[in-house]
Every structure is written in C-alpha cells, then in structure tokens.
C-alpha cells in the first residue's frame, strides 16, 4: 500500500520495487533555479507531474561521459518520503521547520542511483542536422495562464482574467501589445503566442503550498483544478502553462518567478517583479527553452543587457543566436585563425544595432589561437553586438546603451549545441561594453577590438585583430576607404586655392575682373585616434 500510494502521489512510472519505500522511476530530468542559492533538479513524468530531487543531487553537466544533463531521459532508484521531509519542509525538518501531522504528502525523491536512458539529442524526433533543433523557432506556443485562488485557505487572488490577458496580449487583447509585442520585437517576429487563455482556478488547500511554497505541489493542484473546470480536452490543447500565485504567498515564496529548464511550465508572483513585469515573464519563458541567467563580474543576474539578468531589454547576442532569432554577420560566425589569419592584421565588419534586425547582427569569436582553447572548462567563445536603446531595447540603461557589448560563454558547451550538452549552462557573462571610436584590448584573449563611429542609422564598424604577445602588434586600424565612384558620378576637381599673401594691402583689381570661383571646401579633419583602454 505504501508503494502504491507513493506512486499515485508522484504519478511516476514504477518499474520495480526494491524496498518498502524505494521504487525505480523513469522521467525527464529538469533544472529549477529557486533563486535562494539552492537550485533543484526534478523529474518530469509521462503524465506531466513534477517531483523534485532532494538537495545534493550532483554529477549534472560536468561534461564527463557519465554525467546527465537537463532534458535527458533517466532511470533512477528513488527513495520516497525520506523521514523528516514534507511539502512544508522541502529541505528537511530543522529548528525552524517542522512537518505538520496533517501534511501527508510525500514530495522529495532521494536518489540512490541514476542511469541514462537517452540523451536529449537522441530522443525521438530530434534531428541534429537541423539548425532549428532545440531553438525557439516554429514553436506552437499555446499558453494557459492559471490565476490561483486559495481563498478557502486565506489567500485570494489580486488579479482577474481581463487584467492578466491585457498584460500578456496588450490593451486590445490581440497580441499587439504587452508581452506578446515584446516577444515579436525581440525575436524579429519569429516567436509568437499563437493562442492565449487565462483562467481563475481553485486548487485544494495544502500546507505544502501555504507553509512551504512547494512549487511542484502548486502546479499539480492547479492542473487538477483546471482540468476539472475547463475539461481535459481543452486543458490538453495548450502546450505551455503558467501559474500566478496570490500575493499572500509572497512571504513563503521568495521568488518573482520559477521555470522548468527545459520544460513547459512557469510560476509567477502576482506583484512587483512577477507577472506585471514583461521581462520576468520573458526570462521564465526563455528558461523553458534551455537558457540560464546571465552574469557580470562573477555575479549572477547582474547583466542588465538582457531579461536573463535584470534588464528590461531584449536578450543579448549569445542568447538570441541560441534561440534561433539571429544570425552572425557574413564571415563572422566562427572567427578563428582561418579568419584572423595573421597576427597584427585587422578584419572589419559593419554591425547593425540588434533592435533593427536579426540578420547578420553579431560576431562570434572562436579564439583557437589561445593555448587554453583545448581545455573543456577554460575555453571560451565571445559574442559581439551593438546595442542601442530603441524598440525592444528602449528600456536599456545609459550604462549599456550605444555600446558594443562583448559576452563570453563556455566554448565546449557552445560547440556542442545542438548535438550534445544541449541544456547545460554556458555561463553567459558580459565582460565589456565598448564606446564608439575606441580601441579595446582583451588580454585574456590576445585580441584587440576597435570600434568606429556610431552612424545615424545605428550601425557601427567593428575591427578585430589578434596578437601574439603584446597588443602593440595591433596598431590602430586605418579608416576604411570609401567605395570608388563611377566616372559619371564624380565631381569635377576644385581648382587649387591661391596661396594667401602675408601682406595686408589689398591686391589691385584685375581688368576685366575674372569670374569668381566657388570656395573650395577645407580638407577633412583627421579623426581623433581611438581611445586606448586596457582591461
């Protein structure tokens, strides 16, 4: 009976029982960042139920042959209902948390052993030769947002269906505004909410929810309530699900949002940084497609150039490329020694601001000239793009605006996508924001980045030069020559100006006076040398 009850509660595929409270289960591994410094892994079963693993589950994404990654199908020997664990105390009982006697939920799965069944890239339907695999392209994004009503246990919702619909779909509820409009801008029209529905649902009260904020219990109860209210066929018509918790639970749910990675579920607060903020919704959605938070100066979230940090902006170049929304500049998708062939020589590209177009809008540097490039953990790639505060980036702060951004990522994981290490954290980190007309040295990459002027059409020239030992090998690049004009378009040369006389008396007027010639334009001033900044 105990095994049967546990399996019913977890809705897992039980293959065999090896002890009184131990079962063998199968499901898809998920990652959940709970924003409390203790990220969790969870199992997603064939019925759509989510069960977290106990803290301390390791061996994930360590790039060894035996590690497992989020998205992999795994087989596990799982101890259910570890003593002292419950929905109200998901991390175990302590001096500050005691499991209520009425909380009979068995929520934590303690792992004895794990075996890999399928890598995510080998699951049915995966085609590694397809560049759109594991991206956010051609997604049948049909979203059901459940507004949770726990009035029976003292936690009433603060939002109604109309308010939430306008937050997502805009004031006219047609997708021309709200979160839907932001997705259109940031994806260049490649990601759209194809169908949207909000509904108020009333899950049963549970101490796992009201005392412990068990996000897996929240989704399980909400799904059951929604199926009862809307009907299973209608509920199953959706492909993604969001759960908006009432404001009274904010004291026990210390996060603005949570998501399964990869997955189809997000959890959002009703107030503050939660569902009213479009960037929080976008971050949660992008987590579903396999991207993690962005970093700056070794601090997670501190990149304000992306919603994957703390920015009210579109994602950065390392993210929009992975999502399938942007392409690299011609010849700029794999800038290695085959492109920067000789040290001390510049190669130049013209980049549009990322808000303008997803085509040819970034550079990807593969610094295989560095001795660390053969190291799985030390090798990095660079993504370079121009950011200007317009359209989807209109909320970008002045610290980040009108600059060329450089992000670094783990090269091994970057190279593996989409065929391997698909949903592991590349640790995207912004390392530079370069002003126009600046020469920037990246000593960690033996690379010099030189920027030109920001044009009125929001484009910029970016020149790259690698060096062997000293950056002086890369002298400032010469300004590019303008394209030659056709003979019919050439202007006649101005006559050479007369050398001015040093004497003050006026020269006598010639007879007859010659026809006046147009004043020649002064020769163009040389642009000031670019600033030299060494980091």
């Amino acid at each position: 009976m105990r095994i049967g009850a546990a399996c019913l509660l977890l809705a897992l595929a039980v293959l065999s029982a090896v002890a009184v409270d131990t079962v063998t289960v199968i499901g898809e591994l998920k990652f959940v960042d709970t924003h409390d410094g203790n990220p969790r892994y969870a199992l997603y079963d064939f019925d759509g139920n989510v069960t977290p693993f106990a803290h301390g589950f390791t061996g994930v994404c360590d790039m060894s042959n035996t590690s497992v990654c989020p998205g992999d199908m795994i087989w596990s020997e799982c101890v259910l209902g570890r003593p002292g664990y419950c929905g109200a105390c998901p991390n175990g009982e302590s001096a500050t948390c005691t499991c209520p006697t009425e909380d009979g939920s068995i929520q934590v799965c303690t792992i004895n052993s794990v075996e890999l069944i399928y890598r995510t890239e080998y699951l049915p339907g995966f085609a590694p030769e397809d560049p759109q695999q594991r991206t956010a392209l051609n997604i049948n994004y049909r979203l059901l947002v459940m507004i949770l009503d726990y009035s029976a246990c003292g936690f009433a919702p603060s939002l109604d269906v109309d308010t939430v619909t306008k937050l997502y779909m805009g004031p006219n509820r047609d997708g021309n505004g709200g979160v839907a409009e932001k997705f259109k801008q940031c994806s260049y029209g490649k990601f759209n909410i194809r169908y949207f529905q909000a509904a108020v649902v009333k899950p049963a009260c549970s101490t796992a929810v009201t005392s412990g904020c068990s996000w897996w219990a929240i989704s399980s109860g909400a799904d059951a309530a929604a199926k009862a209210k809307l009907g299973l066929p209608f509920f199953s018509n959706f492909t993604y699900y969001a759960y908006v918790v009432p404001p009274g639970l904010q004291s026990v749910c210390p996060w603005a949002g949570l998501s399964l990675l990869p997955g189809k579920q997000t959890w959002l607060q009703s107030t503050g940084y939660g569902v009213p903020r479009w960037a929080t919704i976008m971050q949660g959605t992008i987590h579903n497609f396999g991207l993690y938070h962005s970093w700056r100066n070794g601090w997670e979230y501190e990149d304000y150039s992306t919603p994957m940090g703390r920015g009210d902006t579109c994602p950065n170049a390392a993210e929009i490329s992975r999502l399938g929304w942007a392409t690299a500049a011609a010849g700029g998708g794999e800038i290695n020694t085959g492109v920067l062939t000789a040290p001390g020589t510049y190669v130049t590209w013209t980049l549009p601001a990322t808000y303008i177009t997803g085509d040819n809008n970034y550079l990807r540097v593969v610094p295989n000239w560095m001795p660390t490039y053969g190291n799985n953990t030390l090798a990095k790639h660079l993504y370079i793009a121009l950011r200007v505060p317009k359209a989807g980036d209109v909320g970008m702060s002045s610290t980040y605006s009108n600059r060329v951004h450089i992000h670094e990522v783990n090269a091994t994981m970057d190279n593996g996508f989409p065929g391997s290490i698909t949903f592991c954290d590349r640790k995207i980190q912004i390392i530079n924001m370069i002003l126009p007309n600046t020469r920037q040295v990246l000593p960690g990459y033996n690379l010099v980045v030189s920027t030109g002027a920001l044009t009125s059409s929001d484009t910029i020239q970016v020149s790259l030069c690698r060096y062997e030992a000293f950056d002086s090998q890369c002298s400032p690049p010469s300004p590019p020559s303008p394209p030659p004009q056709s003979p019919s378009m050439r202007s006649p040369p101005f006559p050479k100006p007369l050398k001015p006389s040093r004497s003050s008396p006026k020269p006598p007027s010639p007879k007859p006076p010659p026809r006046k010639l147009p004043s020649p334009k002064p020769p163009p001033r040389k642009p000031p040398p670019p600033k030299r900044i060494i980091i």
Side-chain angles (χ1 to χ4, degrees):
M1 288 295 292
R2 187 174 183 184
I3 294 175
C7 295
L8 178 62
L9 286 168
L10 291 173
L12 296 170
V14 179
L15 303 181
S16 65
V18 297
V20 174
D21 55 359
T22 303
V23 295
T24 302
V25 296
I26 188 171
E28 187 178 356
L29 183 65
K30 305 290 186 181
F31 174 81
V32 180
D33 192 331
T34 52
H35 304 89
D36 60 358
N38 295 298
R40 301 290 287 270
Y41 292 92
L43 195 71
Y44 186 83
D45 74 6
F46 295 110
D47 294 324
N49 296 299
V50 181
T51 302
F53 293 157
H55 284 292
F57 181 62
T58 58
V60 178
C61 287
D62 63 6
M63 291 183 285
S64 69
N65 291 332
T66 58
S67 72
V68 294
C69 300
D72 289 347
M73 189 67 66
I74 63 171
W75 173 100
S76 175
E77 185 181 90
C78 180
V79 179
L80 302 173
R82 181 168 148 191
Y85 281 73
C86 61
C89 303
N91 300 328
E93 288 188 305
S94 65
T96 58
C97 189
T98 303
C99 288
T101 55
E102 70 272 15
D103 186 355
S105 58
I106 300 173
Q107 299 290 349
V108 176
C109 174
T110 304
I111 301 301
N112 283 345
S113 62
V114 170
E115 290 186 17
L116 179 67
I117 299 176
Y118 287 111
R119 293 283 186 201
T120 183
E121 56 267 22
Y122 297 128
L123 291 176
F126 181 75
E129 70 279 1
D130 182 355
Q132 295 185 6
Q133 287 288 320
R134 301 301 187 250
T135 66
L137 284 174
N138 300 324
I139 300 298
N140 183 23
Y141 198 79
R142 303 170 64 85
L143 179 63
L144 174 63
V145 177
M146 288 166 267
I147 305 164
L148 307 184
D149 182 357
Y150 290 103
S151 296
C153 37
F155 298 99
S158 61
L159 302 174
D160 57 24
V161 168
D162 189 58
T163 300
V164 170
T165 301
K166 289 179 179 178
L167 285 172
Y168 276 85
M169 304 302 289
N172 296 324
R173 309 172 191 83
D174 57 1
N176 294 315
V179 177
E181 180 67 20
K182 289 297 184 181
F183 269 115
K184 287 180 188 176
Q185 291 177 324
C186 295
S187 71
Y188 315 102
K190 297 180 177 73
F191 185 94
N192 297 282
I193 301 177
R194 298 189 179 183
Y195 185 77
F196 177 87
Q197 180 70 50
V200 176
V201 298
K202 296 183 178 182
C205 289
S206 165
T207 53
V209 173
T210 59
S211 299
C213 189
S214 299
W215 39 271
W216 57 94
I218 290 173
S219 59
S220 176
D223 288 353
K227 291 172 185 176
K229 178 177 181 176
L230 305 175
L232 181 59
F234 187 72
F235 179 88
S236 302
N237 187 49
F238 295 92
T239 56
Y240 291 81
Y241 303 89
Y243 310 93
V244 180
V245 301
L249 288 178
Q250 197 161 11
S251 61
V252 294
C253 298
W255 37 259
L258 298 177
S259 300
L260 291 187
L261 187 162
K264 299 182 177 184
Q265 293 167 293
T266 59
W267 294 255
L268 295 160
Q269 289 285 355
S270 296
T271 57
Y273 235 54
V275 72
R277 179 175 177 262
W278 68 265
T280 299
I281 297 174
M282 184 173 286
Q283 182 186 113
T285 304
I286 291 175
H287 279 321
N288 285 163
F289 291 98
L291 290 175
Y292 292 73
H293 296 133
S294 193
W295 298 60
R296 184 184 180 192
N297 295 327
W299 290 91
E300 193 173 7
Y301 307 109
E302 289 306 305
D303 182 1
Y304 283 74
S305 74
T306 168
M308 306 312 290
R310 301 189 192 276
D312 294 314
T313 67
C314 290
N316 59 46
E319 294 158 349
I320 55 177
S321 58
R322 170 60 62 91
L323 292 165
W325 298 346
T327 59
E334 190 168 353
I335 303 172
N336 53 24
T337 52
V339 177
L340 302 181
T341 54
T345 301
Y346 281 91
V347 179
T348 300
W349 290 264
T350 299
L351 297 180
T354 55
Y355 82 85
I356 298 174
T357 176
D359 297 332
N360 310 316
N361 73 359
Y362 70 89
L363 303 176
R364 177 174 173 262
V365 179
V366 178
N368 62 345
W369 56 85
M370 297 297 294
T372 56
Y373 192 73
N375 186 294
N376 281 347
T377 56
L378 298 180
K380 309 286 186 189
H381 287 167
L382 302 177
Y383 285 79
I384 302 175
L386 171 64
R387 304 296 295 274
V388 173
K390 296 179 182 178
D393 283 343
V394 70
M396 183 170 286
S397 71
S398 58
T399 304
Y400 290 76
S401 296
N402 301 318
R403 298 171 186 245
V404 172
H405 291 190
I406 302 181
H407 287 81
E408 66 178 11
V409 305
N410 178 276
T412 305
M413 295 182 183
D414 202 45
N415 284 330
F417 183 84
S420 64
I421 326 178
T422 306
F423 293 121
C424 291
D425 187 5
R426 293 179 296 161
K427 195 173 181 181
I428 299 170
Q429 178 158 233
I430 189 167
I431 61 170
N432 276 109
M433 295 171 286
I434 307 175
L435 288 166
N437 296 315
T438 299
R439 179 179 181 271
Q440 180 78 60
V441 180
L442 305 182
Y445 295 93
N446 284 17
L447 186 70
V448 174
V449 181
S450 183
T451 58
L454 179 61
T455 70
S456 59
S457 58
D458 290 337
T459 64
I460 198 168
Q461 286 195 330
V462 176
S463 302
L464 303 181
C465 172
R466 68 180 178 94
Y467 59 88
E468 293 174 321
F470 302 101
D471 68 272
S472 57
Q473 191 175 11
C474 295
S475 58
S478 302
S481 302
Q485 292 179 317
S486 63
S488 61
M489 295 294 292
R490 291 176 183 166
S491 302
F494 288 117
K496 184 181 291 185
L498 295 174
K499 187 175 181 181
S501 173
R502 291 177 180 270
S503 58
S504 58
K506 294 182 179 179
S509 301
K511 297 180 181 181
R515 182 173 57 88
K516 288 186 178 181
L517 296 172
S519 299
K521 293 182 180 179
R525 295 178 61 190
K526 292 184 179 180
K531 300 175 185 177
R532 187 168 183 265
I533 302 175
I534 300 179
I535 61 168

